[in-house]
Amino acid sequence: MHNFLQHVSSYYTLSMDAIKALQACFTKVELYKNDLLLKEGQVCTHLYFIEKGSLRGFYNIDGKETTYWFGFENDFVTSFHSYITQTAAVENIQAMEHTVLWSVAKASLTQLFNEHHEIERLVRIAYERYYIKLEERFVNAQFKTAAQKYNELLQHNPHILNRVPLGYVAAYLGITQETLSRIRAKL
Amino acid sequence: MHNFLQHVSSYYTLSMDAIKALQACFTKVELYKNDLLLKEGQVCTHLYFIEKGSLRGFYNIDGKETTYWFGFENDFVTSFHSYITQTAAVENIQAMEHTVLWSVAKASLTQLFNEHHEIERLVRIAYERYYIKLEERFVNAQFKTAAQKYNELLQHNPHILNRVPLGYVAAYLGITQETLSRIRAKL
DNA sequence: CGAGGCCTTGACCGCGGTCAATGCCCGTGG
DNA sequence: CCACGGGCATTGACCGCGGTCAAGGCCTCG
């Protein structure tokens, strides 16, 4: 729980009161390699925080598992579309190793928003940061070449390369594993 | 102002008190065709709401104006990255026709958040909707072919095609105008 | 009537995808 | 301790989608 509270304070400084309320609503979840946190078709009812370990999100695009997202320590995780709209998820979320999460039900979080303006503020601020990250990924996907995308990753998220097989990384960048391999060979 | 308040109520129902506070903080801005609402290098200090008209966002990518976003009636507009981080914008926002906006300074909105929990909630909910839309655009950019992207646009945003020159639409989809033209020719 | 904006069409080509073979590393069991 | 198998990565041959460059058609407006 310590990591979680520490990280949360990097978004917005909560009162002791709010911190206690938070603590009361989050429970620990543990996953092992290849366990699914969410399976497509399910409705995602929880928001998670990664205490330790790593996850990936992937679509099944005509039989292929296509990774589009990674989560590591101090990342929030959910199937955002499913969580917000409470409809069936189209993607899967899977542990890439032994992973420890803090979990909160959507109903609990909504209740926390009502009781503590500052918690809703914290989430509002978190949304802003996540939105900016997604914008960057969109721009990369739309306007950059394969090599440019790899170099961006090298500069801004090198930790991904240390913890994830290259097949996943390639899909994450929107290129094939073969192309990624050739790009890396030229350095 | 009526359109604005009406639209805002589709996110979250505000008290009369909050509505009055909102009204007091927004001022009208008028633009004419090709006027710039924001120029790259500037810091974006305001959030806008489109009452009437249309805007586009574009990057200058080696001398080319590359459109990546459109805004129409009832859309919120800002250079999100610049607005949130208060750093120089890398993109431009331009009116595509005579356009009427409602404008609020970041400082005023922050003040509104402090005074009215419900306004911060409304923005939190707006963020959720905009995040989901951006996710869709990311997935399209990353995983879909040119023809698939055009068909998605036809189904989900046909109004864009009626109001925007095809050159802008092509860039918005991440393809060239020539490719878009050939796709359309085959229908 | 001429100029310029917008769109289409054609010829060409290169980036990156597909398919398939091979290499490398490591864990497991004989 | 070595042999095998499977997961992961590399490499090569081929090709097609979509980009580039250039020309031409068709409006609208001055």
Side-chain angles (χ1 to χ4, degrees):
Chain A
M1 185 62 85
H2 177 261
N3 268 5
F4 174 48
L5 295 176
Q6 171 118 18
H7 180 74
V8 142
S9 75
S10 78
Y11 288 98
Y12 188 73
T13 303
L14 296 177
S15 66
M16 271 314 294
D17 197 29
I19 290 174
K20 279 186 186 152
L22 258 194
Q23 282 182 303
C25 289
F26 278 74
T27 60
K28 195 191 246 191
V29 173
E30 207 159 346
L31 295 179
Y32 293 89
K33 186 168 181 172
N34 297 332
D35 285 354
L36 288 174
L37 180 63
L38 181 78
K39 205 172 173 176
E40 57 187 293
Q42 293 177 341
V43 173
C44 187
T45 58
H46 288 67
L47 176 69
Y48 305 90
F49 175 85
I50 306 178
E51 166 94 14
K52 176 109 196 50
S54 57
L55 301 169
R56 68 178 183 121
F58 65 90
Y59 298 103
N60 274 310
I61 300 182
D62 42 62
K64 307 257 179 193
E65 292 188 356
T66 306
T67 301
Y68 70 96
W69 170 87
F70 300 120
F72 301 99
E73 286 78 9
N74 295 334
D75 283 335
F76 286 102
V77 188
T78 194
S79 165
F80 201 77
H81 181 96
S82 174
Y83 177 82
I84 294 302
T85 64
Q86 289 294 290
T87 56
V90 294
E91 75 270 43
N92 305 270
I93 301 177
Q94 184 181 46
M96 295 193 290
E97 61 187 310
H98 175 224
T99 298
V100 178
L101 303 163
W102 292 105
S103 159
V104 64
K106 177 166 181 170
S108 299
L109 193 55
T110 303
Q111 189 59 28
L112 283 172
F113 289 167
N114 288 332
E115 289 164 1
H116 301 274
H117 182 172
E118 43 183 328
I119 291 179
E120 188 151 18
R121 168 161 303 176
L122 190 149
V123 168
R124 191 260 299 167
I125 293 170
Y127 282 173
E128 290 173 349
R129 299 212 196 150
Y130 278 82
Y131 191 93
I132 287 173
K133 282 193 210 170
L134 184 57
E135 269 194 341
E136 267 183 36
R137 289 204 69 198
F138 167 70
V139 170
N140 283 339
Q142 179 100 299
F143 301 116
K144 304 279 174 82
T145 65
Q148 285 172 328
K149 288 191 268 189
Y150 177 69
N151 286 326
E152 292 275 338
L153 190 75
L154 262 186
Q155 287 181 14
H156 296 104
N157 302 91
H159 62 285
I160 290 180
L161 288 162
N162 301 327
R163 294 185 62 178
V164 173
L166 290 181
Y168 291 172
V169 173
Y172 174 84
L173 293 176
I175 64 181
T176 62
Q177 185 167 349
E178 293 92 327
T179 296
L180 179 57
S181 180
R182 284 183 251 267
I183 289 168
R184 287 162 57 87
K186 286 180 193 157
L187 302 183
Chain B
M1 185 63 85
H2 176 259
N3 267 6
F4 173 49
L5 296 176
Q6 171 117 15
H7 181 75
V8 142
S9 76
S10 78
Y11 288 99
Y12 188 72
T13 302
L14 296 177
S15 65
M16 271 314 294
D17 196 30
I19 289 174
K20 279 185 187 153
L22 258 193
Q23 282 182 303
C25 288
F26 278 74
T27 61
K28 196 191 247 192
V29 173
E30 207 158 347
L31 295 178
Y32 293 90
K33 186 167 181 172
N34 296 333
D35 285 354
L36 287 174
L37 180 62
L38 181 78
K39 205 171 172 176
E40 57 186 296
Q42 293 177 341
V43 173
C44 187
T45 58
H46 286 69
L47 176 70
Y48 305 90
F49 176 84
I50 305 178
E51 168 94 14
K52 176 107 196 53
S54 57
L55 302 169
R56 70 177 184 123
F58 65 91
Y59 299 103
N60 275 310
I61 300 183
D62 41 64
K64 307 257 180 192
E65 291 189 356
T66 306
T67 300
Y68 71 96
W69 170 86
F70 300 119
F72 301 99
E73 286 79 9
N74 295 335
D75 283 335
F76 287 102
V77 189
T78 194
S79 164
F80 201 78
H81 182 95
S82 174
Y83 177 82
I84 295 302
T85 64
Q86 290 294 291
T87 57
V90 294
E91 75 268 44
N92 304 270
I93 301 177
Q94 184 180 46
M96 295 193 291
E97 61 186 312
H98 175 223
T99 298
V100 178
L101 303 163
W102 292 105
S103 158
V104 64
K106 178 166 180 168
S108 299
L109 192 55
T110 303
Q111 190 58 29
L112 283 173
F113 289 167
N114 288 331
E115 290 164 1
H116 300 275
H117 181 171
E118 43 183 329
I119 292 180
E120 187 150 19
R121 169 160 304 174
L122 189 148
V123 169
R124 190 261 299 166
I125 292 169
Y127 281 174
E128 289 173 350
R129 299 212 196 150
Y130 277 81
Y131 191 93
I132 286 173
K133 283 194 210 168
L134 184 56
E135 270 193 340
E136 267 182 36
R137 289 204 69 197
F138 167 71
V139 169
N140 283 339
Q142 178 100 300
F143 300 117
K144 304 278 173 81
T145 65
Q148 285 172 329
K149 288 190 268 191
Y150 177 69
N151 287 325
E152 292 276 337
L153 189 75
L154 262 186
Q155 288 181 14
H156 297 104
N157 302 91
H159 62 287
I160 290 181
L161 288 162
N162 301 328
R163 295 185 61 177
V164 174
L166 290 180
Y168 291 172
V169 174
Y172 174 84
L173 294 176
I175 64 181
T176 62
Q177 185 167 348
E178 294 91 326
T179 297
L180 178 57
S181 180
R182 284 184 249 270
I183 289 168
R184 287 162 57 86
K186 285 181 193 157
L187 298 185

